[in-house]
Amino acid sequence: MDNERITLLSAREIEKMRQAGQLAAQLLKHLEPMVQPGVSTLELDAESERWTKDHGATSAPLGYHGFPRSICTSINEVVCHGIPDAKQILKDGDIINIDVTPILDGYHGDTSRTFFVGEPSPLARRLVEVTEECMMRGIAAVKPGARIGDIGAAIQTYAESNEFSVVRDFVGHGVSRIFHTAPQIPHYGTAGKGKKLRPGMVFTIEPMINEGVYEVEVLDDGWTAVTQDRKLSAQFEHTIAVTKEGVEILTLHPELVPA
Ligand code: MF3
Ligand code: CO
Ligand code: CO
């Protein structure tokens, strides 16, 4: 995937990505009020699948390399790719990342947020806030002529200055008609290194930030990635386009535009 050519999207294709991205943002907003103690992750999955179909789209994760559900739900020590399950019931104090990827008219909108279930601990709140800020600092590093390493460097600097760690084993990715394509976007790295960003590149920035060590393990289900030390992990994800002016967040909900 790393040696593949990076496709530049036309204005018409970026408009398609914007529509898919906006649908993804709306889906997360739609699910937000359901994130309450007592709700199972399978209920979140079922509602996502219903809502997505209702809006003329399909769920990219369902059947993707055999993934069995329509969204990923990653609670507490789960780093990513948690599988919705009827036995997995949200409880007060949990943090849960919900990662959605509707396909609309052939194009993928890939976005995730970490939500609080009831009242978080001060540490969980800080981890989640730092993780969102990591994503936004990574996005702010994007403009034509900047390099892929600038994104990871911005994220890693902020995470580590807060004494958290950056997951190495999962990266952001090019996304368009294909779910995961070139380029890979590490969430750690060195400013000034890596390929140059050009207008028309579209990719995700999706840092996973850990309370403790950055190492992860994959459970026997073949999907669920957890922190090696079983401490907390949080994640946020946007799909972005490099523009002539800088960057456009394709999955930004109109009500969540930063000040
Ligand atoms: N949405 C995830 C990402 O951000 C990928 C999920 S793949 C799945 O790249 F198969 F686990 F659903
Ligand atoms: Co992604
Ligand atoms: Co995703």
Side-chain angles (χ1 to χ4, degrees):
M1 161 156 130
D2 225 17
N3 287 322
E4 268 174 72
R5 295 279 299 269
I6 303 172
T7 305
L8 302 180
L9 301 201
S10 67
R12 192 200 130 263
E13 291 172 297
I14 289 178
E15 174 55 24
K16 292 290 196 185
M17 287 297 292
R18 194 178 287 122
Q19 285 169 16
Q22 287 301 301
L23 191 73
Q26 284 173 38
L27 172 54
L28 278 186
K29 254 272 170 261
H30 175 72
L31 295 173
E32 185 169 22
M34 279 182 77
V35 179
Q36 299 292 340
V39 171
S40 78
T41 53
L42 192 64
E43 291 174 271
L44 294 169
D45 180 78
E47 181 56 20
S48 296
E49 178 62 17
R50 190 201 64 73
W51 190 96
T52 299
K53 282 192 178 147
D54 226 57
H55 287 76
T58 59
S59 304
L62 187 62
Y64 182 76
H65 294 281
F67 190 79
R69 301 287 181 213
S70 298
I71 59 174
C72 298
T73 51
S74 301
I75 300 173
N76 296 339
E77 75 281 3
V78 180
V79 172
C80 63
H81 302 163
I83 304 171
D85 194 291
K87 287 181 303 231
Q88 212 165 61
I89 312 288
L90 301 183
K91 59 179 198 308
D92 188 46
D94 283 345
I95 59 173
I96 177 176
N97 176 277
I98 303 180
D99 192 338
V100 302
T101 312
I103 304 174
L104 184 65
D105 205 10
Y107 291 83
H108 293 73
D110 189 3
T111 185
S112 82
R113 304 183 55 81
T114 299
F115 298 96
F116 301 123
V117 183
E119 264 308 297
S121 70
L123 175 64
R125 181 182 292 281
R126 198 166 64 81
L127 177 66
V128 170
E129 287 174 357
V130 166
T131 303
E132 183 167 22
E133 178 65 18
C134 280
M135 175 186 66
M136 294 313 296
R137 287 183 182 218
I139 293 170
V142 173
K143 58 177 184 222
R147 291 183 183 268
I148 286 177
D150 297 347
I151 299 169
I155 292 168
Q156 184 176 15
T157 299
Y158 190 69
E160 292 179 357
S161 73
N162 282 280
E163 282 150 0
F164 295 135
S165 67
V166 178
V167 169
R168 293 347 189 214
D169 289 4
F170 301 97
V171 295
H173 51 91
V175 58
S176 54
R177 284 184 171 277
I178 306 170
F179 196 173
H180 296 101
T181 185
Q184 288 192 238
I185 309 291
H187 304 109
Y188 59 93
T190 309
K193 299 274 186 193
K195 293 213 174 82
K196 246 188 205 169
L197 303 180
R198 298 180 190 283
M201 287 183 182
V202 174
F203 53 81
T204 71
I205 297 179
E206 50 180 299
M208 287 140 274
I209 305 298
N210 293 353
E211 173 195 349
V213 299
Y214 65 69
E215 286 88 353
V216 310
E217 284 172 13
V218 176
L219 299 185
D220 286 341
D221 62 21
W223 284 103
T224 309
V226 299
T227 54
Q228 199 169 75
D229 58 14
R230 303 302 193 265
K231 293 185 179 181
L232 295 175
S233 183
Q235 182 179 24
F236 284 78
E237 174 175 26
H238 273 312
T239 299
I240 65 98
V242 184
T243 64
K244 280 198 221 101
E245 295 75 30
V247 63
E248 177 180 348
I249 305 177
L250 301 172
T251 47
L252 187 61
H253 193 281
E255 286 166 30
L256 293 175
V257 176

